[in-house]
Amino acid sequence: MHSRAKPSVASERTVSLRCIKSSSTVSIPKQIVSESDEGLAEDIRHIQRELLKLHILHSSSAKNQEKWRQSARTHLRKRFEALKERHVEIADISYQTRELKNRSALVNWCRNTQGPEMGKRVYILSSCIHEIYNDAGFGGDYSLTVQAFHKWYDQAQTIRESRKHDRTHDTAQPEYVEEIGPGWQNDMNALQRRLGTLTGDLRALGSGSASSNLGQVLLLLHDLIIDMLTELDCIRSVESELIAQERLWFDEQIATLSLNVHNEREETKRSPCKKQ
């Protein structure tokens, strides 16, 4: 019989080491790696989902923004058109209401007057407007009269100021203030008479309705004439006061001059006595 060969000790050790190595590299590390891969894969999927959401949001934001702009423009355009139509309606109602008020005021203003009398009232009103416009306008009698006074007043102030500093002999200005002149006084008197007549005519026409155009025109004309008369009275008062002060100064200058002449004569009389 053939005898079976016994394995050597070295071969047994080699076999045992292989078994231990195979078992250590296959079973234990494989379980650990699989668990870490699953967690990492879940995180990656979560990040991918978030990135996908951001991509979709970013790609659709431009379209959504453009849609929102178009919607906003359309909404605002509709509101603007509605407001425009409402404004036109309100303006039309206001115009019609104003027209009714003016007609009613004109009817009341011409009440109890017949055709010729009503025409006379309209003529008087037209004449008042025309005269005030011509007098108060550029180159009108009122404007020229006021300008003449201001020119005279400025010259008077210059003379009085030069007199205070004793510069009257160094300039070509006169030493005293003269009156404006009879022509200006006549213009003032004529203006005041004419404006007074216009005031009476306007009072005779009545005031009319305060809320109507006619009533406002009558009120403005009356106030304008009163202001013009007030200014003319003020101008006349200033001119009279300035002339009165100038006459007082002139009298003082004459009195001073007379006193100086008298003193000189007295001094002359005493001089021969002193010589003797």
Side-chain angles (χ1 to χ4, degrees):
M1 290 179 66
H2 297 283
S3 60
R4 184 177 295 176
K6 293 182 181 181
S8 63
V9 177
S11 61
E12 289 179 358
R13 289 180 179 178
T14 302
V15 172
S16 62
L17 289 174
R18 289 178 179 176
C19 292
I20 292 171
K21 184 178 179 180
S22 61
S23 61
S24 61
T25 55
V26 174
S27 60
I28 297 175
K30 185 176 182 180
Q31 183 179 1
I32 296 173
V33 171
S34 62
E35 291 178 356
S36 63
D37 289 343
E38 289 180 0
L40 181 62
E42 183 63 27
D43 292 338
I44 293 173
R45 284 193 297 270
H46 177 72
I47 294 172
Q48 288 177 345
R49 286 194 299 268
E50 295 298 325
L51 290 174
L52 181 60
K53 291 178 181 179
L54 291 175
H55 175 72
I56 295 173
L57 179 62
H58 178 72
S59 60
S60 61
S61 62
K63 295 180 180 178
N64 293 332
Q65 186 176 10
E66 185 63 26
K67 290 180 180 179
W68 179 84
R69 287 180 179 177
Q70 293 293 338
S71 177
R73 290 194 189 98
T74 303
H75 180 69
L76 291 176
R77 188 181 298 108
K78 290 181 179 180
R79 288 191 61 185
F80 176 78
E81 292 176 355
L83 289 174
K84 182 179 178 181
E85 293 177 358
R86 183 60 178 169
H87 173 73
V88 172
E89 293 176 0
I90 293 175
D92 186 51
I93 294 173
S94 177
Y95 175 79
Q96 294 178 2
T97 303
R98 190 74 177 176
E99 189 73 15
L100 291 175
K101 286 183 179 181
N102 291 333
R103 291 180 182 179
S104 177
L106 185 60
V107 169
N108 293 330
W109 187 62
C110 297
R111 185 174 293 175
N112 300 326
T113 58
Q114 297 179 358
E117 185 67 21
M118 183 176 65
K120 183 179 179 181
R121 291 168 69 88
V122 174
Y123 174 78
I124 293 174
L125 178 60
S126 176
S127 299
C128 290
I129 296 174
H130 181 71
E131 289 192 27
I132 293 174
Y133 177 78
N134 288 336
D135 287 339
F138 180 77
D141 294 340
Y142 179 84
S143 178
L144 292 177
T145 302
V146 174
Q147 289 177 7
F149 167 76
H150 284 293
K151 183 179 179 180
W152 172 84
Y153 182 80
D154 293 339
Q155 185 179 5
Q157 292 299 110
T158 301
I159 294 173
R160 290 161 66 91
E161 189 68 23
S162 299
R163 186 187 301 162
K164 289 180 181 179
H165 299 283
D166 195 19
R167 295 198 304 265
T168 55
H169 299 288
D170 300 334
T171 62
Q173 295 287 347
E175 296 184 4
Y176 56 90
V177 179
E178 298 179 350
E179 295 183 356
I180 301 180
W184 181 84
Q185 297 289 346
N186 294 332
D187 292 339
M188 282 283 293
N189 295 331
L191 271 175
Q192 288 181 323
R193 286 195 301 268
R194 188 160 68 248
L195 291 175
T197 302
L198 292 177
T199 303
D201 293 340
L202 286 176
R203 288 176 179 173
L205 293 177
S207 59
S209 177
S211 61
S212 63
N213 291 341
L214 177 62
Q216 293 178 2
V217 168
L218 292 172
L219 180 62
L220 289 175
L221 286 175
H222 182 267
D223 292 344
L224 180 59
I225 293 175
I226 295 299
D227 292 339
M228 293 169 71
L229 286 172
T230 302
E231 185 176 9
L232 291 179
D233 290 338
C234 182
I235 287 174
R236 189 181 290 276
S237 176
V238 171
E239 190 263 346
S240 300
E241 183 178 357
L242 192 56
I243 292 299
Q245 293 177 359
E246 194 65 18
R247 287 174 179 173
L248 180 62
W249 174 84
F250 195 75
D251 293 339
E252 291 176 354
Q253 294 298 316
I254 292 177
T256 302
L257 182 61
S258 299
L259 181 60
N260 292 335
V261 171
H262 177 72
N263 292 334
E264 289 179 359
R265 287 178 180 178
E266 291 295 328
E267 185 68 25
T268 303
K269 290 179 181 180
R270 294 193 198 97
S271 295
C273 297
K274 290 181 180 179
K275 290 180 180 179
Q276 293 175 0

